[in-house]
Amino acid sequence: MAGNSTFKLFSTSGGIGFFDSPSEASLPPPPPPVEVLSSQVSSTLKCSVEPVNLDGLTLLKGRLSTKEVFGLPNSDLVPGVYEGGLKLWEGSLDLVKALRSEVQNGHLSFTGKQVLELGCGHGLPGIFACLEGAAVVHFQDFNAEVLRSLTIPNVDVNLSKEFPCTASDEKNSDSGVELRFFAGDWAQIHQCLPHIHDNEKDLNCCSEECPVSSYDIILMAETIYSISAQQSLYELIKKCVRGPYGVVYMAAKKYYFGVGGGTRQFLSMVEKDGVMDASLVAEVVDGSSNVREVWKLSVK
């Protein structure tokens, strides 16, 4: 796809964008999967930081444009080139709020857990997991440039509020959390991720009986807008989530008009597969955008 071929999931006024998605054949090949070290953070791009208040919890978010990072016109998405990681999407905020509620209600604990955030962008859900005592938090985004210029600095500045030492290539020595960052397409990123299993048998056995290292909690927000990518995403989830106690928290819109994705389409695929159960955690109807939801997927 040409670099100037862009479209928006949302208009600049905040409404829903309507567009025709490009054919799969027109997309460029995805970048090879790679681990991005925190020492590789961009030294030339400096993002401004502003607070985000999430019902009493304040996190920080950086701000960079696609022109600054990619040399592209300002846009939400360029399929196969840039997948929206520089924008702070509504679903990311919805997910943090839902996770906080789950923790407060005793339905979820991050303490000592291995966590993976898929399609992380700013990484706010993963950052929340760090602050709640997770032992391992790994961040994944399609673009290595997003990780270098935005995710790593954003993790750094948020954790520095709590811990004098910020993110290192492996462990934050004061917080004890292992922080790692991975870039690549969902169909290939498992080649880099350290905590995966290879088959459904691994998924369905308990950790005490199987020497399989996998993630206790997977977090993802606004990742299911593209129907063509949903199967790869779901297969990745099954490779990564620990069975039978692992969970996935997913924030997304009920429908992504113009692209065909959304929670209903994705959950129908999950139900048909029969490996995971889904339960609704939260619904957001604010009258200014499409209905937004947070779902919990659990291994059966």
Side-chain angles (χ1 to χ4, degrees):
M1 172 175 287
N4 61 357
S5 177
T6 67
F7 62 83
K8 292 176 177 287
L9 287 178
F10 306 97
S11 69
T12 55
S13 62
I16 300 298
F18 292 81
F19 49 83
D20 295 321
S21 58
S23 66
E24 197 74 20
S26 68
L27 297 181
V34 63
E35 179 171 5
V36 177
L37 302 180
S38 60
S39 59
Q40 296 173 323
V41 65
S42 174
S43 59
T44 58
L45 294 172
K46 300 297 181 183
C47 57
S48 59
V49 177
E50 57 189 58
V52 179
N53 189 289
L54 302 169
D55 296 337
L57 170 68
T58 299
L59 296 178
L60 301 173
K61 76 177 186 74
R63 181 187 293 275
L64 285 170
S65 71
T66 54
K67 184 174 179 60
E68 290 175 288
V69 179
F70 295 96
L72 296 170
N74 189 30
S75 60
D76 292 337
L77 185 64
V78 184
V81 177
Y82 161 66
E83 294 291 341
L86 297 177
K87 181 181 175 72
L88 181 59
W89 300 94
E90 296 166 307
S92 182
L93 306 180
D94 294 339
L95 182 54
V96 174
K97 292 177 183 178
L99 294 173
R100 190 170 182 233
S101 177
E102 289 280 276
V103 169
Q104 291 174 341
N105 293 333
H107 299 153
L108 174 67
S109 173
F110 285 100
T111 304
K113 299 296 177 61
Q114 296 186 156
V115 180
L116 171 65
E117 184 180 355
L118 296 173
C120 62
H122 285 76
L124 295 188
I127 289 167
F128 178 75
C130 292
L131 298 177
E132 287 294 320
V136 171
V137 182
H138 293 169
F139 297 85
Q140 178 273 336
D141 196 89
F142 181 80
N143 297 107
E145 294 89 347
V146 168
L147 296 174
R148 294 188 189 103
S149 63
L150 180 64
T151 311
I152 294 172
N154 211 54
V155 170
D156 230 26
V157 71
N158 277 280
L159 295 191
S160 67
K161 297 190 305 176
E162 299 290 328
F163 309 111
C165 174
T166 55
S168 68
D169 289 341
E170 286 294 336
K171 283 196 174 184
N172 178 318
S173 60
D174 288 340
S175 69
V177 61
E178 176 188 295
L179 302 172
R180 295 175 69 178
F181 306 86
F182 302 90
D185 182 77
W186 288 322
Q188 301 177 4
I189 195 65
H190 65 279
Q191 299 171 21
C192 284
L193 294 174
H195 301 309
I196 64 167
H197 44 74
D198 295 325
N199 55 54
E200 193 169 308
K201 180 180 178 182
D202 289 340
L203 179 63
N204 290 328
C205 69
C206 64
S207 58
E208 289 80 10
E209 297 175 357
C210 297
V212 175
S213 181
S214 44
Y215 295 95
D216 302 294
I217 304 169
I218 296 176
L219 308 174
M220 57 185 198
E222 310 280 17
T223 56
I224 60 171
Y225 55 87
S226 170
I227 290 180
S228 63
Q230 285 187 5
Q231 188 66 48
S232 293
L233 174 60
Y234 183 52
E235 293 302 322
L236 176 62
I237 288 169
K238 291 194 292 181
K239 285 184 173 73
C240 292
V241 70
R242 184 188 302 277
Y245 306 115
V247 295
V248 180
Y249 280 89
M250 173 185 77
K253 292 179 173 58
K254 193 171 183 178
Y255 300 106
Y256 290 93
F257 294 110
V259 245
T263 57
R264 291 301 174 268
Q265 201 280 336
F266 184 78
L267 292 172
S268 68
M269 178 180 62
V270 173
E271 181 180 7
K272 184 177 180 180
D273 184 51
V275 174
M276 306 188 80
D277 284 323
S279 57
L280 182 65
V281 175
E283 182 180 69
V284 181
V285 183
D286 58 14
S288 63
S289 66
N290 191 10
V291 175
R292 311 196 303 271
E293 298 174 332
V294 178
W295 286 82
K296 177 182 177 181
L297 307 180
S298 306
V299 181
K300 287 186 177 180

